[in-house]
Amino acid sequence: MNGFHLIVILTVSLMVGSTLAAEDVRPELPAVPQGTLDLALERAQEHVFYYTHDRSAHTTGAHSGGKMFVLALAAWQGQEQADRLLMRQFRRVLEGDRSLVAAGGYGSQHERLFTGSAVLIRDTPRLWSQLSEEDRHRVDMLMRAAMIASAYTTSDAGNASAQNSDLMGGQNLARGWNPNFREGMIGMMIVGTIWLEGDENAYAFLNDYDHDAFTQQLRDAGLDNTARTFAYAAENPDSDAPTGEQIERAVRDYTIHGTRLDELMRIYHQLTTHTYGGTVFAGLNDGQGRDGAGRIASGADELPNVGRRGMLHEFDAVDGSGPRSSITYAYTGFRPNLINHIVMIVGGAWEEGAMADECLALLRVGAADLFYKLDHGYISYANGRARGETDINHEGWDFRLTRALWEEVVEPWHAAP
């Protein structure tokens, strides 16, 4: 019996406030630093919503939304000063016109801030008990909706013959695209399986999925925004949105590249070795960049780990216009990967061994590289042109918040005896 199944045995019913791990086996992650918590609390005065069907990110807080997950982790650790603003933000996403779009695709990376937080909140009895039974049901419906959407966009069955669409028929995605797609969509299969407390429950849900019934349940729960997505094909018959029957077929007996949901560590390993699959350099063209961009702004001579594997993929990638070297795209692989990682630790799905060792070796190189470049500024190149310089203090981004989650919480936990 592995650690994941042991944790599942220790769980209790969702609707009475289940936790993923008994208190005496809960991992003792180092505390979120007080300065980071204070900054998250300051920024939490601004809400993040998920009501924008007409934007690919499907959120108002694509760059700044990391504060919610930082508060959720701090609250899970017992820092009660995070509770009020965390739960205020979390409840707003349960409102019908602000709930997850849950279409799958590009927006999934940003929905991870909510879905990852939901796992931590449910595993914190004092927080979960603050939600009414109706709100707990809404959380569960949103988690299942996000999982269905990502199961549709990533399953072997759904991708067997051609590139899949999202639930609204959008074609601007593929499960094999860059990390800002992979980490959101495929990562949701990790988070969803942990939410459902194991692969047996996950397969029971996916294999018995009834699209029409589920869409009606979303409506009945008042999750109008999410229901709009799931009803899209029926209400827009001339669109390319998949029918309920197509979705049902695609999600059953889910596998991705032949891997099942009882191998979450393998799925995370596949994600991480791609997201951190680059070789450290100072920029395109031996650090000279392209048209002056796609390079570090200063400090190239002292850049650590040059030539080592582990650099975030998006520093040396391609897009529709050619080469891409973008620190903001790199970050949108880092952030959901880190949330997936933390949820695996909390959910008991992290497994020590060769795959974990390889992931951690890459993360230690790649995270250090990312934040060195943020400290010194990076001039990004994407979509065929320079995108300007970005640094650690760049307005509207949550770089400082999530940096601490890796450097002062997760990495020290792994490094401890």
Side-chain angles (χ1 to χ4, degrees):
M1 179 180 298
N2 63 31
F4 181 62
H5 289 98
L6 175 60
I7 297 302
V8 171
I9 289 171
L10 293 170
T11 59
V12 293
S13 166
L14 167 70
M15 298 314 296
V16 296
S18 67
T19 58
L20 292 178
E23 291 292 334
D24 59 345
V25 296
R26 178 179 283 213
E28 295 184 4
L29 291 166
V32 173
Q34 186 63 49
T36 301
L37 176 54
D38 290 342
L39 181 58
L41 289 168
E42 176 186 332
R43 294 184 177 178
Q45 303 298 328
E46 175 192 357
H47 290 291
V48 174
F49 303 132
Y50 294 92
Y51 64 92
T52 50
H53 279 77
D54 59 339
R55 296 186 194 175
S56 59
H58 300 315
T59 181
T60 60
H63 308 320
S64 62
K67 57 205 173 192
M68 178 161 56
F69 187 77
V70 171
L71 293 177
L73 181 59
W76 177 84
Q77 293 179 317
Q79 299 186 63
E80 296 186 19
Q81 67 188 108
D83 292 7
R84 184 182 64 83
L85 290 177
L86 166 65
M87 296 306 288
R88 186 182 72 168
Q89 168 67 84
F90 193 74
R91 284 191 179 94
R92 296 301 291 270
V93 184
L94 304 182
E95 297 174 10
D97 60 348
R98 293 184 171 96
S99 61
L100 303 186
V101 171
Y106 180 82
S108 298
Q109 61 177 302
H110 304 301
E111 293 175 350
R112 184 58 23 76
L113 299 168
F114 175 85
T115 58
S117 296
V119 173
L120 299 181
I121 288 170
R122 190 183 66 177
D123 198 44
T124 308
R126 76 173 189 282
L127 298 178
W128 191 241
S129 64
Q130 292 179 32
L131 296 173
S132 66
E133 184 173 336
E134 292 78 9
D135 277 348
R136 293 179 192 176
H137 176 62
R138 292 186 184 100
V139 177
D140 186 49
M141 291 296 294
L142 290 175
M143 296 295 284
R144 292 170 185 263
M147 189 178 192
I148 286 293
S150 287
Y152 176 75
T153 56
T154 63
S155 72
D156 289 337
N159 287 269
S161 58
Q163 174 181 314
N164 229 339
S165 70
D166 64 23
L167 265 59
M168 296 186 294
Q171 299 290 323
N172 186 33
L173 74 149
R175 66 178 184 172
W177 284 8
N178 285 347
N180 54 342
F181 289 88
R182 294 186 187 214
E183 291 287 353
M185 297 188 299
I186 301 170
M188 186 59 217
M189 301 312 295
I190 295 174
V191 173
T193 300
I194 291 171
W195 177 263
L196 292 172
E197 302 182 331
D199 58 284
E200 291 185 7
N201 289 341
Y203 279 115
F205 169 56
L206 295 172
N207 292 346
D208 293 336
Y209 177 70
D210 181 320
H211 185 75
D212 291 341
F214 187 80
T215 303
Q216 186 58 50
Q217 289 170 6
L218 289 170
R219 293 192 186 100
D220 293 343
L223 297 169
D224 302 332
N225 199 37
T226 318
R228 175 183 168 189
T229 300
F230 277 69
Y232 203 88
E235 295 177 356
N236 299 273
D238 294 331
S239 73
D240 293 324
T243 66
E245 183 180 359
Q246 288 175 309
I247 296 169
E248 290 164 2
R249 286 200 306 266
V251 304
R252 290 193 175 121
D253 296 317
Y254 179 89
T255 58
I256 179 164
H257 304 305
T259 303
R260 291 176 57 82
L261 296 176
D262 58 355
E263 297 184 275
L264 297 186
M265 192 69 204
R266 184 172 300 280
I267 295 174
Y268 178 77
H269 176 265
Q270 292 169 352
L271 283 172
T272 302
T273 52
H274 179 266
T275 298
Y276 288 86
T279 299
V280 175
F281 68 8
L284 300 172
N285 299 322
D286 295 324
Q288 299 305 304
R290 184 183 179 100
D291 299 330
R295 63 175 178 84
I296 196 169
S298 66
D301 292 343
E302 298 179 5
L303 177 67
N305 299 313
V306 172
R308 290 186 62 185
R309 179 169 171 251
M311 184 177 73
L312 284 154
H313 174 85
E314 289 280 15
F315 281 118
D316 190 15
V318 295
D319 57 30
S321 299
R324 178 158 85 190
S325 184
S326 167
I327 200 163
T328 53
Y329 276 105
Y331 182 72
T332 58
F334 166 85
R335 188 175 70 180
N337 179 276
L338 181 59
I339 296 175
N340 295 337
H341 189 153
I342 292 171
V343 170
M344 288 182 68
I345 293 171
V346 171
W350 184 267
E351 297 178 4
E352 300 295 342
M355 288 188 292
D357 291 345
E358 183 178 4
C359 288
L360 290 171
L362 295 174
L363 287 161
R364 286 171 174 137
V365 171
D369 180 66
L370 170 67
F371 287 105
Y372 182 92
K373 288 169 177 172
L374 281 170
D375 285 340
H376 289 79
Y378 199 85
I379 308 167
S380 294
Y381 186 89
N383 304 118
R385 65 184 181 89
R387 311 297 292 191
E389 183 175 339
T390 299
D391 61 33
I392 192 69
N393 296 311
H394 203 74
E395 185 177 357
W397 286 80
D398 55 18
F399 299 129
R400 286 194 177 277
L401 293 178
T402 51
R403 177 179 191 162
L405 296 189
W406 167 253
E407 291 183 338
E408 301 194 55
V409 180
V410 176
E411 199 284 330
W413 182 77
H414 283 297

